[in-house]
């Protein structure tokens, strides 16, 4: 398996993965046009964010969405990690951990000093998983992890 950046050609497969995520939300129906527009905007402007894919044998098995902002407290780039989606058929194979590690490495390479995970505060399993990965709770933001500064 390789983890690589998304391209415009990947948008239909990304939407399929997001459909799996949204299918868990009983009262939420995604706007496919807006979804594709948002994915295209991130892919087109790497200064805003990056979508990383777990890719194997021509199939996309997972994705993670990193957005970049500037911390007013630190005056340096901060990565916001939003959707981490793994194909239902690929769950339980360590894909989420590999995507998380790739996201952290990508954020570090961008000079980010902190990565903030935007996750569902009510999902205790997710909270425990990310706590094991070194993320900490904060009164201001859901979960965050300080990153070693680049030399």
């Amino acid at each position: 398996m390789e983890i690589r950046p998304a391209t415009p050609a990947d948008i239909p497969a990304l939407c399929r993965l997001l459909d799996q995520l949204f299918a868990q939300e009983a009262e939420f129906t995604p706007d496919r046009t807006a979804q594709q527009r948002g994915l295209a905007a991130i892919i087109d402007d790497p200064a805003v964010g990056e979508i990383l894919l777990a890719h194997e044998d021509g199939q996309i098995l997972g994705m993670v969405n990193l957005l970049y902002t500037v911390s007013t407290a630190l005056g340096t780039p901060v990565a916001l990690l939003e959707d981490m989606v793994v194909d239902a058929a690929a769950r339980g194979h360590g894909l989420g951990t590999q995507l998380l590690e790739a996201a952290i490495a990508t954020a570090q390479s961008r000079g980010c000093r902190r990565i903030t995970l935007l996750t569902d505060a009510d999902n205790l399993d997710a909270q425990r998983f990310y706590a094991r990965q070194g993320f900490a709770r904060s009164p201001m933001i859901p979960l965050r992890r300080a990153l070693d500064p680049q030399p």
Side-chain angles (χ1 to χ4, degrees), residues 102-126:
I104 290 169
T106 300
Q108 286 177 315
S109 73
R110 292 283 188 152
C112 294
R113 297 286 301 278
R114 191 174 71 207
I115 187 167
T116 298
L117 179 72
L118 305 178
T119 190
D120 184 349
D122 295 327
N123 186 332
L124 294 179
D125 286 338

Side-chain angles (χ1 to χ4, degrees), residues 118-142:
L118 305 178
T119 190
D120 184 349
D122 295 327
N123 186 332
L124 294 179
D125 286 338
Q127 294 286 349
R128 291 185 188 108
F129 170 81
Y130 291 117
R132 289 195 300 271
Q133 307 302 320
F135 286 89
R137 291 298 302 269
S138 162
M140 296 292 292
I141 48 183

Side-chain angles (χ1 to χ4, degrees), residues 30-97:
D31 179 332
R32 177 54 63 90
T33 302
Q35 193 180 93
Q36 290 179 341
R37 195 167 48 240
L39 291 168
I42 294 169
I43 291 169
D44 288 344
D45 190 351
V48 173
E50 256 172 293
I51 297 172
L52 303 177
L53 305 177
H55 181 269
E56 186 173 57
D57 297 329
Q59 184 181 0
I60 293 171
L61 300 176
M63 65 171 279
V64 64
N65 181 10
L66 270 173
L67 300 178
Y68 301 110
T69 184
V70 173
S71 166
T72 53
L74 298 174
T76 58
V78 171
L80 303 178
L81 195 158
E82 284 197 320
D83 300 322
M84 184 184 295
V85 188
V86 176
D87 188 288
R91 289 192 183 130
H93 298 283
L95 229 65
T97 302

